[in-house]
Amino acid sequence: MNKKINRNDPCHCGSGRKYKYCHLGADKKRILKTELTCDHCNTNIDVDLTSSYIGKLQISDIPMMNFCKDEGFYMFRAMSVYNYLELMKKLENNSLTKKDFYDNYKEFLTQEDCMALLGNFCNEMEAFQSRQAILSDTIGAHFNNEFTLSIPIFFILIEGILRQLWGIPDKDNFQPKFIKDTWNARLLFNMEDRIGFLNGYINSLYEGGKESAVFSRNTVLHGINKEYYTEENSWSLLLLLCEIGYIKMLEKQTVPFTFEKVTGGIKMTLPDL
């Protein structure tokens, strides 16, 4: 490809789909940042892993995540591999809908599953443990279809948990702070992709200045949006809560690789697990 392809252009493969829904992810460079510098020119030493086994093994979710972003939501991980592949087929034949995702989420994640996840998060993170009773009651309200109750409390819980995890003082503005580079040194490039989309999604839910019909923290908690209490909206916040817990657990359970300069290249050392 000599000419730069824009995101909304037809894909170069001839599929007829937009580039962002097709090969944008596969064409993405996988560059490992070692934080080492060259002895001769003092520039940063990065390693291109695009064609490596590690790079090829991590099939990019970017086309699916782009679809979800364009439809106003985030691609949560709460689905089976089989259902994910079925959704990919629908994306390929241009029949994928937002409803397809939420049908899969509701089928995959039961109340029992949610309570088990909550228990794991509470065991590992004080930000969850200190809110366990409220979390449990709110999850119960969600599965009892009490969305007028579950949605406002989910908004409050998510902000409180993230403020505690990120150390954001109460008086400071709340902004998403998941760090993409955290995953680069762990060679988890798919997570690096996801974090950018997740930060954007959280920001869209919590930024101010939205019209009354928009589903967001301010329009709901300020009493402006009076039609917020849909099943889909409650699922979105429950899934976001689970996504946050999963990411912080994965961050605790993985460590970065270490790198050092050796004759003829870079030595990468596996972390102690």
Side-chain angles (χ1 to χ4, degrees), residues 35-76:
E35 298 187 1
L36 301 174
T37 56
C38 175
D39 293 332
H40 301 289
C41 61
N42 204 37
T43 57
N44 292 333
I45 300 176
D46 295 335
V47 181
D48 189 344
L49 294 178
T50 306
S51 300
S52 70
Y53 177 76
I54 293 172
K56 291 183 179 297
L57 183 64
Q58 299 189 58
I59 300 172
S60 175
D61 291 329
I62 287 178
M64 291 275 272
M65 289 191 287
N66 275 326
F67 174 87
C68 296
K69 178 182 177 182
D70 289 348
E71 294 296 316
F73 69 109
Y74 171 79
M75 192 186 82
F76 302 101

Side-chain angles (χ1 to χ4, degrees), residues 17-251:
R17 299 198 304 277
K18 291 182 179 180
Y19 182 50
K20 64 182 177 181
Y21 298 154
C22 197
H23 273 80
L24 176 59
D27 293 341
K28 184 181 174 80
K29 293 285 187 181
R30 297 302 190 184
I31 307 299
L32 176 64
K33 302 169 185 176
T34 67
E35 298 187 1
L36 301 174
T37 56
C38 175
D39 293 332
H40 301 289
C41 61
N42 204 37
T43 57
N44 292 333
I45 300 176
D46 295 335
V47 181
D48 189 344
L49 294 178
T50 306
S51 300
S52 70
Y53 177 76
I54 293 172
K56 291 183 179 297
L57 183 64
Q58 299 189 58
I59 300 172
S60 175
D61 291 329
I62 287 178
M64 291 275 272
M65 289 191 287
N66 275 326
F67 174 87
C68 296
K69 178 182 177 182
D70 289 348
E71 294 296 316
F73 69 109
Y74 171 79
M75 192 186 82
F76 302 101
R77 64 184 68 252
M79 68 178 73
S80 67
V81 173
Y82 172 80
N83 285 342
Y84 174 85
L85 295 175
E86 289 298 302
L87 293 179
M88 280 294 294
K89 290 179 184 178
K90 288 191 172 187
L91 179 64
E92 290 169 3
N93 62 32
N94 296 317
S95 64
L96 186 60
T97 66
K98 185 177 183 179
K99 182 177 182 298
D100 292 326
F101 282 89
Y102 282 84
D103 286 346
N104 278 295
Y105 296 147
K106 288 184 280 186
E107 176 187 328
F108 184 79
L109 197 61
T110 66
Q111 183 172 2
E112 183 179 356
D113 294 330
C114 285
M115 296 309 296
L117 283 171
L118 174 61
N120 290 335
F121 299 157
C122 290
N123 288 337
E124 294 292 332
M125 290 169 280
E126 201 276 334
F128 280 85
Q129 193 279 327
S130 60
R131 297 170 173 85
Q132 186 167 9
I134 309 171
L135 284 162
S136 179
D137 287 350
T138 311
I139 291 171
H142 167 83
F143 282 98
N144 286 331
N145 297 327
E146 297 170 343
F147 306 131
T148 55
L149 301 178
S150 63
I151 289 171
I153 303 173
F154 275 141
F155 268 124
I156 294 168
L157 285 167
I158 290 166
E159 180 172 349
I161 287 169
L162 288 178
R163 280 185 179 275
Q164 186 170 343
L165 288 172
W166 292 334
I168 303 174
D170 295 343
K171 61 182 177 59
D172 288 0
N173 290 333
F174 174 72
Q175 291 182 328
K177 287 188 176 181
F178 283 109
I179 301 172
K180 293 176 69 173
D181 287 351
T182 297
W183 307 101
N184 185 277
R186 290 167 165 80
L187 304 186
L188 294 173
F189 298 119
N190 271 353
M191 286 299 301
E192 189 177 23
D193 295 337
R194 275 185 163 274
I195 292 304
F197 285 90
L198 181 60
N199 282 337
Y201 180 65
I202 296 173
N203 186 63
S204 72
L205 289 174
Y206 282 85
E207 66 183 356
K210 298 290 184 69
E211 295 182 359
S212 61
V214 175
F215 179 65
S216 71
R217 175 229 189 249
N218 285 359
T219 61
V220 171
L221 297 189
H222 293 176
I224 300 169
N225 185 333
K226 297 180 284 293
E227 307 294 334
Y228 68 85
Y229 49 94
T230 68
E231 182 181 21
E232 182 182 288
N233 285 341
S234 190
W235 269 106
S236 293
L237 297 181
L238 173 58
L239 289 162
L240 176 57
L241 194 64
C242 293
E243 190 83 0
I244 291 165
Y246 172 81
I247 289 172
K248 296 305 293 184
M249 289 273 285
L250 186 61
E251 189 176 325

